[in-house]
Amino acid sequence: RKEVEQDPGPFNVPEGATVAFNCTYSNSASQSFFWYRQDCRKEPKLLMSVYSSGNEDGRFTAQLNRASQYISLLIRDSKLSDSATYLCVVNMDSSASKIIFGSGTRLSIRP
Amino acid sequence: ETGVTQTPRHLVMGMTNKKSLKCEQHLGHNAMYWYKQSAKKPLELMFVYNFKEQTENNSVPSRFSPECPNSSHLFLHLHTLQPEDSALYLCASSQGRNDEQFFGPGTRLTVL
């Protein structure tokens, strides 16, 4: 089993749709979790941290399920500009020595 | 200048060359990182520095040699690379080791 696993997609959805991605992780002792987005040939940019209580930032909602060892990202009212690859990042210990990036989920929003 | 900067943005080198990649962060962060991103593969963490001390070397070949003279600057010295080392090399920084990371634009390296 991969340490961090994401559905590679691509997810191709119409503008205005709601889309959700999951990311599973193997180490139950993992410490911190993040979602990043990466546009083609650009660097990853932090989208949001994922907190145990769940968190929301505008159209984006992130949740953590420790029991089932996954995090999720929900995008509501999707925009064309949301088209990107979404990377799940898990820090598996407190020393940052075990930061694992998922391979990413590609999202394409069509008009 | 703000954020994380990297130079050069593009680099082509032969297998016998020696070159260095530079990263600078203007965020007052304490931790800095080097990552490698190859085509169709996830980002791979190479090195971690915290308060200028190297805390992690993820089994990276010795032809890659990091240097962190202070908390704001990070270098990656390259020597006798192989064509399979061609990739995007990304630098990142964070306030603490468990905090969110901010990435530079990367250096796209091609080894001939």
Side-chain angles (χ1 to χ4, degrees), chain A residues 8-73:
Chain A
F11 285 62
N12 189 324
V13 303
E15 199 173 2
T18 295
V19 61
F21 316 131
N22 279 350
C23 167
T24 58
Y25 59 94
S26 61
N27 187 337
S28 59
S30 295
Q31 301 273 323
S32 51
F33 309 86
F34 308 91
W35 283 105
Y36 283 74
R37 67 170 280 167
Q38 186 171 25
D39 294 286
C40 188
R41 302 184 72 80
K42 295 287 186 77
E43 74 273 19
K45 291 189 190 298
L46 178 70
L47 183 63
M48 56 200 308
S49 305
V50 187
Y51 304 121
S52 298
S53 54
N55 47 306
E56 188 174 313
D57 182 2
R59 298 181 294 108
F60 299 84
T61 301
Q63 294 199 309
L64 166 64
N65 185 320
R66 284 196 182 272
S68 301
Q69 294 180 207
Y70 73 87
I71 65 172
S72 63
L73 178 68

Side-chain angles (χ1 to χ4, degrees), chain A residues 31-32 34 36 38 41-46 49 51 87 89 91 93-104, chain B residues 9-10 33 35 37 40-45 48 55-56 58 88 90 97-106 108:
Chain A
Q31 301 273 323
S32 51
F34 308 91
Y36 283 74
Q38 186 171 25
R41 302 184 72 80
K42 295 287 186 77
E43 74 273 19
K45 291 189 190 298
L46 178 70
S49 305
Y51 304 121
L87 305 172
V89 182
N91 187 355
D93 68 25
S94 58
S95 69
S97 59
K98 199 70 174 157
I99 298 170
I100 307 294
F101 277 71
S103 53
Chain B
R9 295 292 307 277
H10 300 271
Y33 311 80
Y35 288 88
Q37 188 173 34
K40 301 189 188 303
K41 291 175 72 174
L43 268 79
E44 301 169 57
L45 179 63
V48 180
T55 60
E56 190 65 22
N58 277 357
L88 180 67
L90 290 157
R97 288 176 296 180
N98 251 333
D99 296 325
E100 53 270 24
Q101 296 179 25
F102 295 85
F103 284 82
R108 192 160 294 280

Side-chain angles (χ1 to χ4, degrees), chain B residues 66-86:
Chain B
E67 179 191 358
C68 188
N70 54 62
S71 292
S72 299
H73 293 85
L74 187 63
F75 294 89
L76 187 63
H77 303 299
L78 315 172
H79 178 48
T80 59
L81 294 193
Q82 306 297 311
E84 59 265 28
D85 296 323
S86 299

Side-chain angles (χ1 to χ4, degrees), chain B residues 5 8 12 22 32 34 45-46 55 57 64 70 78 90 100 104 106 110:
Chain B
T5 58
V12 179
K22 179 183 176 183
M32 296 187 77
W34 278 117
L45 179 63
M46 299 174 72
T55 60
N57 172 345
F64 295 91
N70 54 62
L78 315 172
L90 290 157
E100 53 270 24
T110 303

